[in-house]
Amino acid sequence: MKLAVYGKGGIGKSTISCNLSLALAKRGKKVLQLGCDPKHDSTFSLTGFLIPTIIDTLQSKDYHYENVWSEDVIYQGYGNVDCVEAGGPPAGAGCGGYVVGETVKLLKELNAFYEYDIILFDVLGDVVCGGFSAPLNYADYCLIVTDNGFDALFAANRIAASVKEKARTHPIRLAGLIGNRTSKRDLIQKYVEACPMPVLEVLPHFEDIRISRIKGKTLFELAENESDLDYLCEYYLSIADQLLAQPEGVIPNEISDRDIFQILSHFEVGDLSHSKRSEGDHLKTNLTEEFSWS
């Protein structure tokens, strides 16, 4: 099974990817996580350091694939999850999609691409150009990480549109949304009502998750010494179990930019206006009481 994790930049894809990869490994699967970001920090929580990228390694070998060995590019992380970082082209030059393609090509040359039960692509930001939608060419399922805000859901809708387009020629399906760092899900619910798709899990904003990322560890590793974190690991195990059940998935019917703006911004502004009105009424009451002598 091949998974492609997308979402707005900074939404927490890499943290979710590392913990999900480990959850899948905990279920007995042989897992490879493939970072597709020039920052090459996707696998940091699994390895504890920034591993060399495929592009760096190929450059050092003058792009002689025959001189590259598996141990040059594949690093074992915590829980026996194997890790690869594709890297990226120099700033302002080249295409990230080309880098992903070269990474897959090299892994096939090394006979590694088909050795895993699960390959998880952790994909840069919310870019949905032809280059950064390249992992969808290889994936069985796309997972979209979002929060309960307009910007992230707007990006999610664009990604859903990419899945729909790729599904014309590839067997890709959308497994669903993963809500992250949010105590609410009202906008998420509003969106999936307009654009039906599964919601796999919604993770509240846990400080322990942020701390684990800073420490370069997964929650599962921290939970070995802090049993009170076990309940957080259950969120990722739940997602893993849903994926291992091989869901049918969906080909999403994305909604237009105009419609999503109207649906989500009006809903959000409506809530804000209601809150402002309540605050205004409360202030008006206080002022009336305070200045009733006049």
Side-chain angles (χ1 to χ4, degrees):
M1 182 186 296
K2 296 175 180 62
L3 309 170
V5 180
Y6 281 82
K8 180 181 177 294
I11 204 67
K13 293 182 301 300
S14 293
T15 301
I16 283 181
S17 293
C18 288
N19 284 289
L20 178 56
S21 289
L22 194 46
L24 290 162
K26 291 281 186 182
R27 294 306 194 218
K29 302 303 178 183
K30 186 177 182 182
V31 182
L32 172 70
Q33 182 167 321
L34 202 166
C36 306
D37 189 326
K39 296 197 307 296
H40 61 278
D41 62 347
S42 167
T43 58
F44 177 67
S45 295
L46 289 165
T47 61
F49 68 103
L50 298 179
I51 66 176
T53 70
I54 291 281
I55 290 299
D56 290 339
T57 303
L58 286 174
Q59 285 178 339
S60 70
K61 306 284 187 179
D62 292 326
Y63 289 90
H64 290 155
Y65 286 79
E66 68 276 10
N67 294 331
V68 179
W69 301 91
S70 295
E71 54 267 28
D72 294 328
V73 293
I74 301 175
Y75 292 77
Q76 190 171 87
Y78 177 78
N80 296 322
V81 175
D82 281 349
C83 301
V84 169
E85 291 285 354
C95 174
Y98 170 79
V99 175
V100 172
E102 289 298 296
T103 298
V104 171
K105 176 183 175 182
L106 178 60
L107 291 174
K108 288 180 177 178
E109 296 250 350
L110 296 172
N111 295 317
F113 194 68
Y114 300 106
E115 288 186 358
Y116 295 92
D117 300 313
I118 308 286
I119 295 181
L120 186 151
F121 295 85
D122 177 15
V123 189
L124 166 68
D126 52 358
V127 181
V128 290
C129 67
F132 280 105
S133 64
L136 297 177
N137 295 338
Y138 310 103
D140 301 299
Y141 295 111
C142 175
L143 310 175
I144 302 177
V145 182
T146 183
D147 59 20
N148 196 54
F150 173 81
D151 289 343
L153 285 166
F154 187 89
N157 189 60
R158 286 293 184 87
I159 297 163
S162 293
V163 173
K164 180 181 179 181
E165 182 61 31
K166 287 290 185 180
R168 299 178 189 275
T169 53
H170 297 79
I172 181 71
R173 295 293 184 270
L174 177 63
L177 294 180
I178 299 174
N180 192 37
R181 298 189 306 213
T182 178
S183 58
K184 296 183 179 180
R185 56 185 298 170
D186 49 354
L187 260 68
I188 293 174
Q189 189 60 39
K190 198 73 175 176
Y191 174 65
V192 298
E193 288 173 2
C195 183
M197 63 182 65
V199 177
L200 300 177
E201 194 64 85
V202 177
L203 286 76
H205 195 290
F206 295 117
E207 183 67 9
D208 292 305
I209 297 178
R210 187 186 70 83
I211 291 173
S212 71
R213 176 70 173 173
I214 294 172
K215 289 182 175 181
K217 298 180 183 295
T218 62
L219 282 169
F220 289 87
E221 185 174 1
L222 291 180
E224 288 189 349
N225 299 314
E226 302 176 46
S227 59
D228 58 329
L229 297 179
D230 287 340
Y231 78 102
L232 294 181
C233 299
E234 291 297 326
Y235 283 94
Y236 302 100
L237 290 167
S238 170
I239 299 169
D241 289 340
Q242 292 178 70
L243 294 171
L244 292 175
Q246 297 185 344
E248 183 177 351
V250 298
I251 299 176
N253 290 311
E254 87 287 356
I255 54 183
S256 70
D257 290 349
R258 182 184 297 273
D259 287 344
I260 191 172
F261 187 84
Q262 290 179 337
I263 291 170
L264 296 182
S265 65
H266 287 185
F267 185 75
E268 196 166 32
V269 169
D271 280 357
L272 182 61
S273 297
H274 175 75
S275 176
K276 292 292 186 183
R277 283 197 302 271
S278 298
E279 292 175 7
D281 291 345
H282 179 68
L283 178 61
K284 183 179 178 181
T285 300
N286 287 346
L287 288 173
T288 300
E289 292 174 352
E290 184 174 351
F291 296 107
S292 59
W293 53 268
S294 60

